[in-house]
Amino acid sequence: MRNAPTILHLDMDAFFASAEQASKPSLRGKAVVVGGLGPRGVVATASYEARVFGVHSAMPMAQARRLAPNAAYLVPRFGFYRSISEQVMALLRALSPLVEPLSLDEAFVDLEAGGAAWDEGSARLVGEKLRADIRAVTALTGSVGLAASKMLAKIASEQAKPDGLVVIDPGTERELLGPMSVRILPGVGPATGDHLRRAGIHTVEEIVEAGEDELVRLLGKAHGHGLYAMALAHDERPVVAERETKSVSVEDTYDVDIHDRLRVGMEVQRLADRCVRRLRGAGLSGRTIVLKVRRYDFSTLTRSETLRGPTDDPAVVREAAARLLESVDTTGGVRLLGVGVSGLADYTQEDLFAQAAGDLGELPEEEPGEVAAEKDEAPVERRWVAGHDVTHAEFGHGWVQGSGLGRVTVRFETPDSEPGRVRTFRVDDASLAVAEPLPLVAVEGGASGLRPDLVSHPHHP
């Protein structure tokens, strides 16, 4: 490990929910929950105001509504979040060529590789400036951790939340880690944590006291050795600029179990087409087709078929997924379906296949909203998604608060306005239309939204 805290971990604070609050003045300081709003939806992100009531990510949405019935419940706007993420990642890449994104709102940065920092003082300056730059460019906050390793930098950013910065000085790691739960270490999930607990091991220090041999006996050679090293604060994992995509997949969860075998087959075909769109969008193809089925009793089955070469032909993927479906019993009902492609490559070998006859398959037009139901079953109100942007010919830009019974309620406000008024319209009002999200910060000159003074950093003397 290095002898200076020059690995930075950035974690945006309650990212989706904070982006919605910044976009909607009437929600600032209020409980906001973002996620799937159907009966089987889950929470993607909860604002800090919602967390006070016990709401957290991955919680069933029905449980969140019981805990915080007065919160604002919104459907995610992933395109909007992605545009903000691109601004944040641009700031990080201005600091170093070694930026390892983990998700839209989280990344590691090797500050030493970019000459941005070389000791505790310079690293702290970079971290503080980064936080200020993120606020200036996006109107959002992020928490920064600085340490000599990835594991410790991530722990530091968690301690810094919300909207803070924590530096872990080299030499203090063991003292810091000792009293922490074993779950703080990478690779310790619920199953491993329970296994260690049953062995009387609850803290990182107790892992060290148990010794490496005992860890190997409990967890196996590879996991035991690795976990013991982490407990000693030994983490040599480098920051990797490019994380290779291993698979491309799509899935849908259905509000009501699907029992009709024909409908299940149609859903699988639709998912196969969506998956190929993502493949082609990324310039990839793949050899292994994967089908995922979660049945009425929550049992989850996966089936796969490996082709003779990589493809991005929708007909080939559809036919392979249909063959895989034949081997799955869906009699009791299906609550989730997914189609994926792995064994990725950046080329295709269409001529190898006898599976699909004729020319390359053409993709049908994508259904608006990609809702998990047949088109003719979708009520008109589905066009007006809670939290999404609209514009009205007379009242301007706003967002959907809710819809139903032939009506849609809209609050008219923008990121830089005062909290706006609420108005209700018929769902077929010709003056109301879907709109693109507005930027959180008004930018002058340049599409990137980054000013030169916001991407500078100190250089080694």
Side-chain angles (χ1 to χ4, degrees), residues 352-397:
L352 293 180
F353 296 103
Q355 292 100 322
D359 295 332
L360 285 182
E362 292 300 320
L363 288 166
E365 289 297 317
E366 190 160 10
E367 296 179 14
E370 295 186 349
V371 294
E374 295 180 24
K375 262 185 173 180
D376 57 1
E377 294 179 356
V380 175
E381 287 89 343
R382 282 188 184 272
R383 289 185 296 132
W384 307 111
V385 183
H388 284 219
D389 298 82
V390 295
T391 186
H392 189 274
E394 179 181 354
F395 302 111
H397 192 92

Side-chain angles (χ1 to χ4, degrees), residues 270-389:
R270 186 177 62 82
L271 288 165
D273 288 339
R274 281 174 55 193
C275 185
V276 170
R277 284 191 191 90
R278 289 194 179 184
L279 267 182
R280 290 182 172 182
L284 297 170
S285 60
R287 297 181 65 229
T288 301
I289 314 303
V290 180
L291 175 71
K292 178 179 177 181
V293 180
R294 181 166 298 147
R295 299 188 293 191
Y296 69 99
D297 59 357
F298 285 89
S299 61
T300 302
L301 305 176
T302 57
R303 299 287 186 267
S304 65
E305 176 181 320
T306 299
L307 308 173
R308 286 175 288 171
T311 185
D312 66 352
D313 183 346
V316 172
V317 177
R318 283 195 297 263
E319 290 185 18
R323 285 193 297 273
L324 294 170
L325 180 61
E326 291 173 2
S327 67
V328 179
D329 179 11
T330 62
T331 307
V334 170
R335 60 187 294 121
L336 177 147
L337 289 167
V339 174
V341 178
S342 60
L344 301 182
D346 56 3
Y347 62 95
T348 59
Q349 293 181 342
E350 267 41 87
D351 56 308
L352 293 180
F353 296 103
Q355 292 100 322
D359 295 332
L360 285 182
E362 292 300 320
L363 288 166
E365 289 297 317
E366 190 160 10
E367 296 179 14
E370 295 186 349
V371 294
E374 295 180 24
K375 262 185 173 180
D376 57 1
E377 294 179 356
V380 175
E381 287 89 343
R382 282 188 184 272
R383 289 185 296 132
W384 307 111
V385 183
H388 284 219
D389 298 82

Side-chain angles (χ1 to χ4, degrees), residues 83-252:
S83 67
I84 300 171
S85 175
E86 288 169 358
Q87 292 179 302
V88 173
M89 296 302 164
L91 287 172
L92 299 183
R93 292 189 178 100
L95 297 174
S96 172
L98 293 184
V99 175
E100 182 177 344
L102 303 179
S103 62
L104 290 178
D105 61 340
E106 186 181 1
F108 288 109
V109 185
D110 187 335
L111 298 177
E112 201 171 300
W118 51 93
D119 59 12
E120 190 273 340
S122 57
R124 185 181 291 275
L125 285 174
V126 169
E128 293 290 7
K129 186 174 189 303
L130 174 64
R131 291 177 56 237
D133 291 350
I134 288 171
R135 186 186 291 273
V137 169
T138 70
L140 303 180
T141 64
S143 295
V144 169
L146 291 158
S149 70
K150 290 168 71 173
M151 176 183 74
L152 291 161
K154 186 172 174 63
I155 290 172
S157 70
E158 188 62 32
Q159 291 184 325
K161 282 189 167 296
D163 191 20
L165 181 145
V166 167
V167 180
I168 297 177
D169 291 319
T172 67
E173 299 96 342
R174 286 282 302 278
E175 181 181 359
L176 173 76
L177 286 174
M180 291 185 172
S181 166
V182 295
R183 292 292 300 276
I184 200 73
L185 299 178
V188 181
T192 301
D194 287 345
H195 197 50
L196 292 171
R197 179 180 52 78
R198 288 194 296 270
I201 299 173
H202 302 86
T203 67
V204 175
E205 186 57 38
E206 286 171 346
I207 288 180
V208 177
E209 291 172 355
E212 189 169 15
D213 290 344
E214 178 65 6
L215 264 292
V216 169
R217 186 186 71 79
L218 288 170
L219 305 175
K221 189 172 182 180
H223 199 182
H225 285 314
L227 191 58
Y228 186 73
M230 292 287 186
L232 293 173
H234 296 161
D235 178 17
E236 301 293 343
R237 294 174 300 161
V239 176
V240 181
E242 296 296 332
R243 297 172 64 87
E244 183 181 358
T245 302
K246 293 181 170 58
S247 66
V248 173
S249 63
V250 297
E251 63 181 44
D252 273 337

